[in-house]
């Protein structure tokens, strides 16, 4: 209802043609928070690799979406290593876990060494509403997937607030305390 959507590239080959645009676009996205908007960018399976990676490097939070299956976690581990190398700790990094497999949130956190920011239930029919435009089942908005998604959004906003508070310039009072301590 009150969301604006800018459709992304459907062909990864187009990303290289967009190379001159990524850095200016990241600057626009970084400044948009002043107008009360948040930006969510889906970098796809390639993640923060290549020219579009500047979007992740400038982000307040980067979440890798993974299922808690053996195959999903193996893939996530490789992608997390690439993200850590690319981002160098400059941004909050977390996992959005899709609960399809046998591994608990705590096992995933320990194995991957990253915070599990939120867990979404495995609900392919409900997810198809969002990914494919499938018809909404009854009580879609109040269903488990959407409730979990709202909770995840709150957690992501908390991560962003933590990062922004760390990056904010110190207040005048804090600056006086620091200068008085010298």
């Amino acid at each position: 209802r009150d969301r604006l959507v800018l459709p992304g590239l459907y062909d990864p080959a187009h990303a290289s043609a967009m190379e001159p645009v990524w850095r200016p676009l990241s600057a626009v996205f970084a400044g948009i928070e002043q107008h009360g908007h948040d930006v969510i960018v889906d970098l796809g399976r390639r993640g923060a690799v290549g020219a579009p990676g500047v979007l992740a490097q400038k982000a307040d939070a980067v979440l890798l979406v993974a299922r808690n299956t053996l195959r999903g976690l193996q893939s996530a581990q490789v992608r997390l290593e690439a993200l850590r190398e690319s981002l160098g700790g400059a941004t909050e990094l977390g996992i959005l876990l899709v609960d399809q497999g046998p591994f608990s949130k705590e096992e995933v956190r320990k194995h991957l060494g990253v915070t599990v920011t939120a867990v979404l239930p495995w609900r392919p029919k409900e997810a198809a509403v969002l990914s494919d435009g499938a018809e909404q089942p009854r009580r879609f908005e109040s269903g488990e997937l959407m409730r979990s998604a709202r909770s995840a959004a709150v957690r992501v906003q908390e991560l962003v607030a933590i990062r922004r508070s760390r990056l904010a310039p110190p207040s005048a009072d804090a600056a006086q305390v620091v200068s008085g301590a010298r």
Side-chain angles (χ1 to χ4, degrees), residues 1-176:
R1 287 166 242 160
D2 58 347
R3 309 292 193 267
L4 302 174
V5 176
L6 175 62
L9 306 173
Y10 61 89
D11 184 343
H14 296 150
S16 61
M18 295 281 296
E19 190 165 348
V21 176
W22 295 121
R23 192 162 300 282
L25 192 58
S26 72
V28 169
F29 288 167
I32 214 164
E33 73 187 60
Q34 299 168 12
H35 302 287
H37 298 288
D38 293 321
V39 176
I40 299 172
V41 177
D42 180 351
L43 291 173
R45 295 186 188 279
R46 290 187 56 196
V49 177
V54 71
L55 297 176
Q57 292 165 356
K58 300 284 185 176
D60 288 312
V62 172
L63 299 178
L64 183 120
V65 178
R67 295 179 190 163
N68 60 344
T69 62
L70 185 58
R71 185 177 353 155
L73 296 178
Q74 286 174 331
S75 175
Q77 186 170 20
V78 171
R79 292 185 301 163
L80 276 170
E81 289 170 13
L83 279 169
R84 285 181 177 119
E85 185 177 312
S86 172
L87 301 175
T91 191
E92 298 298 322
L93 184 59
I95 293 269
L96 181 63
L97 197 61
V98 178
D99 191 13
Q100 182 190 14
F103 300 102
S104 71
K105 177 180 172 178
E106 186 60 24
E107 288 173 309
V108 171
R109 184 196 63 76
K110 283 181 183 177
H111 179 71
L112 296 178
V114 68
T115 301
V116 176
T117 305
V119 179
L120 296 178
W122 174 249
R123 297 287 182 268
K125 287 183 180 178
E126 291 176 37
V129 173
L130 303 171
S131 64
D132 301 326
E135 190 173 323
Q136 285 189 16
R138 282 177 39 101
R139 300 186 188 125
F140 173 75
E141 289 291 328
S142 62
E144 185 181 9
L145 177 63
M146 294 308 290
R147 282 193 321 269
S148 297
R150 284 189 288 276
S151 294
V154 168
R155 180 64 185 124
V156 170
Q157 289 171 340
E158 291 169 356
L159 282 177
V160 168
I162 289 167
R163 174 172 163 73
R164 288 179 183 167
S165 70
R166 279 199 323 248
L167 296 177
S171 66
D173 294 338
Q176 288 175 348

